[in-house]
């Protein structure tokens, strides 16, 4: 997952040239490095993972302040914007839970085996998954709406 965030962050930075994507790149990069060290040095992996999830949380909080969805609002209406805000909220809550969990993993070497923390980690992962589904659904809705609008405009011109 971290590798995908790294790749998407780089592609979006090239495409949109927005500094926001640097957070995604940093989060993904630290996550990939953490995954590389997970077998060799679990403490270092936990530190790098903690840095990664802090970047993800910063990215999630930035979404509320900077991420403009004016094109979606104009094309699809307010309900799509509200739905995407729920996606942002699930992203932020999932990242916040992961940040809190990262301190448990850093401060307690047995935290990996705690069933309650495992449950919290699964809940955070479900929130991240929900966020992805919401974003994909909004993209598909926007894309289909754009295609329908283009077809309607072309039909009028003929």
């Amino acid at each position: 997952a971290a590798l995908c965030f790294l790749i998407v962050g780089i592609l979006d930075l090239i495409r949109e040239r927005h500094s926001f994507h640097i957070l995604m790149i940093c989060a993904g990069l630290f996550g990939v490095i953490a995954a590389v060290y997970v077998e060799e040095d679990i403490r270092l992996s936990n530190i790098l993972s903690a840095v990664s999830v802090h970047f993800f949380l910063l990215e999630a909080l930035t979404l509320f302040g900077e991420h403009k969805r004016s094109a979606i609002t104009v094309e699809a209406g307010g309900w799509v914007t509200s739905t995407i805000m729920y996606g942002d909220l699930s992203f932020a809550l999932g990242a916040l839970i992961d940040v809190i969990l990262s301190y448990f993993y850093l401060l307690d070497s047995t935290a990996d085996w705690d069933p309650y923390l495992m449950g919290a980690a699964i809940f955070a992962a479900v929130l991240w998954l929900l966020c992805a589904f919401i974003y994909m659904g909004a993209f598909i809705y926007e894309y289909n709406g754009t295609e329908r609008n283009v077809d309607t405009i072309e039909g009028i011109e003929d």
Side-chain angles (χ1 to χ4, degrees), residues 43 45-48 50 101-109 111:
R43 176 96 174 128
S45 177
N46 285 341
I47 292 169
L48 294 169
L101 288 173
S102 73
Y103 288 102
F104 282 100
Y105 300 140
L106 287 174
L107 301 174
D108 183 5
S109 61

Side-chain angles (χ1 to χ4, degrees), residues 2-57:
L3 181 60
C4 290
F5 268 96
L6 178 61
I7 292 168
V8 169
I10 291 170
L11 292 175
D12 281 350
L13 183 64
I14 291 168
R15 187 172 55 93
E16 296 177 7
R17 299 191 196 308
H18 193 276
S19 60
F20 165 78
H21 299 296
I22 293 172
L23 293 172
M24 187 184 299
I25 293 169
C26 290
L29 183 62
F30 278 99
V32 167
I33 297 170
V36 168
Y37 282 103
V38 75
E39 292 293 328
E40 192 173 315
D41 186 354
I42 191 68
R43 176 96 174 128
L44 178 60
S45 177
N46 285 341
I47 292 169
L48 294 169
S49 181
V51 172
S52 175
V53 295
H54 278 80
F55 275 120
F56 281 125
L57 182 60

Side-chain angles (χ1 to χ4, degrees), residues 20 56-57 59-69 80-96 127 130-132 134-135:
F20 165 78
F56 281 125
L57 182 60
E59 180 184 357
L61 295 176
T62 303
L63 280 174
F64 288 113
E66 289 186 20
H67 199 117
K68 307 275 189 277
R69 294 182 180 78
V80 174
T81 303
S82 298
T83 303
I84 291 175
M85 291 303 286
Y86 286 120
D88 291 347
L89 181 63
S90 69
F91 179 36
L93 288 175
L96 179 63
L127 287 172
L130 176 64
C131 167
I134 289 172
Y135 288 167

